[in-house]
Amino acid sequence: MSARRPVYGPEDWAGDPGRDQGAPGAFPYTRGPYATMYRGRLWTMRQYAGFGTAEQTNARFRHLLAAGQTGLSVAFDLPTQMGYDSDHAMAEGEVGRAGVAIDTVDDLERLFHEIPLDKVSTSMTINATAPILLAMYVVVGEEQGVERRRLDGTLQNDILKEFIARGTYIYPLEPSLRLVTDVFRFVSAVGMSFNPISISGYHMREAGATAAQELGFTFANGLEYVRRARAIGLDVNDLAPRLSFFFAGYTDLFEEVAKFRAARRLWARLMKEKFAASDAACRLRFHTQTGGATLTAQQPLNNVVRVAVQALAAVLGGTQSLHTNAYDEALALPTAPSATLALRTQQVLAHETGLPEVVDPVGGSWYVEALTDEVEREARRLVDEIESQGGAARAIERAFFQDAIARSAYDQQRAIESGERVVVGVNEYLVEEPVQSVPAPDYTALAAEQRARLVAARRARQAKLVQQALAALAAAARDAAAPLMEPILDAVRARATVGEISDVLRGAWGEYRNP
């Protein structure tokens, strides 16, 4: 991004209002994906939660729902994300630490105990094992008497950004993409309203990407997914309205607002140019999470202000769904009071500021419009560069994304250490203060409890049915033309575990080794 000038005027916005802005709810959606925006419906307040056991997370979900949360968002622990059961050696020391531990469909049932799945929208941050968790969610719905068509939510299922920035991949790139597109096929075939993917820039931004890189890299991945979906026979105009996106909200207020507006416009243009998509299929919808990497352990109450500014940027930018981080997350898992305060931040914005009363209140600002144009130009340049290399999958193999993000992260850290970039309480305005501690669960006891539950689940099931289901899945995995979700569903119904199902696919495809 170029240096900003102290004053902006009409000469700084070279765009064509008719072409570049349009009306809210009309192509290219710069001013919002819907004509009435928050006057018609507020954004979904979807607080991310998950820790320890299913029962503990269920209690937090019910607390947040009682406090006014309007959607659920599930964090899974690393063993669940990486396809290891809680009693596997690779799970040692990690059970329940970064999210909830899920080994069997019965764990997922406990997670949603007394939460009717036809009454809530659920987002699941899960990628390499996303098909397994979706299958479990479907089975829990079946056992609650909720048919698939009435299940609502979003599956992250974005494996490309795992190879780029986050690292919770399991299988090599091509079979990983096969799993992603089979979820697309399944959701479309059974008529689910579930979004089969949340194409995520958030994790790349957290790894050090700039605002323009966040958009450019996310959309390069999005184009790859659309092409892969078309290759298996899905119609772009049927699939694209089901695509969801996930962006970070950072503290540079106007750059973030411009980023969100540029995102809608650039994605709309890309879909129209490359796939001749209908206007409805060009409409970008996204979830925002405030910036985890911006939270500081020093003077943690400052994070309350940071999160409020970041949430304001997301709302001014027109987000459809929002998670606000708790101020103590730089120290430990958020406490119930801090999680409630984070939710209250959204509720204050929704009900006390007047923001929802006007669609795109920043539209027409010379400064915001100039920034929107600039972010779009830089992100488009990156998309074009990746497309010229053969698309996102090939660029990942050449470490294009990874190298670019590493350079950007290095530059940002140098700016903080030199004092060029001020972080309040970290490199300026320092005070002597006692180190705050946040009580943590007894993870040793928690892991022992989860392992005991897993042993009991294995004893209670019919081993022959499990073996048959896993053998059928292995055969499907070895047949490049076979569907995968259906045999995964059968294995889940038989009470096969996340680790057992993942191991079958490891046996068929091997594991990805970072070169």
Side-chain angles (χ1 to χ4, degrees), residues 28-112:
Y29 306 108
T30 310
R31 307 202 65 196
Y34 305 111
T36 58
M37 288 300 290
Y38 306 136
R39 291 183 67 90
R41 177 184 176 185
L42 287 174
W43 63 91
T44 301
M45 299 180 192
R46 192 186 299 281
Q47 294 297 102
Y48 187 46
F51 55 93
T53 64
E55 288 85 354
Q56 290 172 312
T57 305
N58 174 268
R60 178 59 60 86
F61 282 165
R62 293 168 71 179
H63 168 80
L64 289 168
L65 288 168
Q69 175 172 292
T70 53
L72 300 179
S73 183
V74 186
F76 297 94
D77 72 356
L78 285 174
T80 304
Q81 294 183 51
M82 298 297 293
Y84 294 114
D85 289 333
S86 295
D87 59 356
H88 193 284
M90 290 294 289
E92 185 68 31
E94 292 293 345
V95 176
R97 284 187 177 268
V100 62
I102 300 293
D103 292 308
T104 71
V105 68
D106 295 323
D107 290 330
L108 203 71
E109 189 283 326
R110 283 188 286 270
L111 181 66
F112 293 103

Side-chain angles (χ1 to χ4, degrees), residues 6-344:
V7 177
Y8 281 75
E11 67 279 4
D12 296 304
W13 179 28
D16 175 351
R19 175 180 179 272
D20 295 334
Q21 279 193 319
F27 185 93
Y29 306 108
T30 310
R31 307 202 65 196
Y34 305 111
T36 58
M37 288 300 290
Y38 306 136
R39 291 183 67 90
R41 177 184 176 185
L42 287 174
W43 63 91
T44 301
M45 299 180 192
R46 192 186 299 281
Q47 294 297 102
Y48 187 46
F51 55 93
T53 64
E55 288 85 354
Q56 290 172 312
T57 305
N58 174 268
R60 178 59 60 86
F61 282 165
R62 293 168 71 179
H63 168 80
L64 289 168
L65 288 168
Q69 175 172 292
T70 53
L72 300 179
S73 183
V74 186
F76 297 94
D77 72 356
L78 285 174
T80 304
Q81 294 183 51
M82 298 297 293
Y84 294 114
D85 289 333
S86 295
D87 59 356
H88 193 284
M90 290 294 289
E92 185 68 31
E94 292 293 345
V95 176
R97 284 187 177 268
V100 62
I102 300 293
D103 292 308
T104 71
V105 68
D106 295 323
D107 290 330
L108 203 71
E109 189 283 326
R110 283 188 286 270
L111 181 66
F112 293 103
H113 184 61
E114 296 187 355
I115 300 175
L117 298 191
D118 57 344
K119 304 296 184 185
V120 297
S121 169
T122 302
S123 173
M124 294 191 281
T125 301
I126 196 75
N127 296 282
T129 55
I132 305 172
L133 272 297
L134 177 61
M136 288 184 172
Y137 196 78
V138 169
V139 171
V140 171
E142 291 172 351
E143 295 179 358
Q144 281 191 4
V146 179
E147 62 183 34
R148 296 174 189 177
R149 289 175 178 271
R150 293 167 62 198
L151 297 174
D152 188 24
T154 299
L155 193 68
Q156 191 160 102
N157 195 31
D158 176 7
I159 203 63
L160 291 175
K161 66 94 174 51
E162 298 297 323
F163 290 103
I164 294 168
R166 192 162 175 266
T168 64
Y169 45 72
I170 302 175
Y171 318 109
L173 185 57
E174 290 301 322
S176 294
L177 284 166
R178 179 185 168 195
L179 277 173
V180 171
T181 55
D182 199 67
V183 169
F184 292 175
R185 175 201 60 79
F186 174 80
V187 167
S188 178
V190 302
M192 291 179 69
S193 61
F194 232 78
N195 298 320
I197 193 168
S198 175
I199 306 167
S200 304
Y202 179 88
H203 305 93
M204 293 184 280
R205 187 68 181 276
E206 290 281 279
T210 65
Q213 286 174 334
E214 181 186 0
L215 293 195
F217 294 168
T218 302
F219 291 156
N221 289 346
L223 296 176
E224 185 77 37
Y225 289 127
V226 174
R227 280 193 292 266
R228 299 287 178 137
R230 292 181 75 195
I232 64 168
L234 296 181
D235 184 280
V236 68
N237 289 326
D238 291 335
L239 172 70
R242 298 173 179 268
L243 301 179
S244 178
F245 289 80
F246 175 21
F247 295 119
Y250 270 43
T251 319
D252 189 332
L253 179 67
F254 289 107
E255 181 178 76
E256 292 298 288
V257 172
K259 180 189 77 178
F260 296 130
R261 299 173 84 249
R264 281 190 295 271
R265 190 162 76 202
L266 177 55
W267 181 249
R269 288 172 170 169
L270 289 169
M271 290 295 287
K272 187 73 72 174
E273 293 168 15
K274 294 184 179 294
F275 305 111
S278 68
D279 282 3
C282 293
R283 180 186 287 116
L284 179 140
R285 299 164 302 117
F286 62 90
H287 170 74
T288 306
Q289 180 173 338
T290 57
T294 70
L295 301 178
T296 63
Q298 303 93 326
Q299 301 178 30
L301 284 174
N302 294 344
N303 296 328
V304 176
V305 182
R306 293 186 179 103
V307 168
V309 171
Q310 294 163 1
L312 175 62
V315 173
L316 287 173
T319 193
Q320 278 59 71
S321 173
L322 179 59
H323 163 85
T324 34
N325 290 327
Y327 73 86
D328 53 3
E329 287 187 51
L331 302 171
L333 290 169
T335 60
S338 68
T340 304
L341 178 60
L343 176 60
R344 295 287 183 251

Side-chain angles (χ1 to χ4, degrees), residues 443-455:
Y443 287 110
T444 300
L446 182 154
E449 177 186 345
Q450 184 65 19
R451 286 193 292 267
R453 199 192 310 274
L454 179 56
V455 169

Side-chain angles (χ1 to χ4, degrees), residues 341-396:
L341 178 60
L343 176 60
R344 295 287 183 251
T345 303
Q346 296 197 48
Q347 291 165 336
V348 168
L349 289 174
H351 300 294
E352 296 187 20
T353 63
L355 282 171
E357 296 176 12
V358 177
V359 177
D360 189 28
V362 296
S365 158
W366 295 317
Y367 178 38
V368 171
E369 297 295 357
L371 274 180
T372 301
D373 291 347
E374 187 174 357
V375 174
E376 182 187 10
R377 280 195 302 271
E378 177 59 19
R380 178 62 189 250
R381 183 189 66 77
L382 292 167
V383 171
D384 290 345
E385 185 173 359
I386 294 161
E387 289 288 282
S388 73
Q389 297 179 26
R394 304 290 79 83
I396 288 170

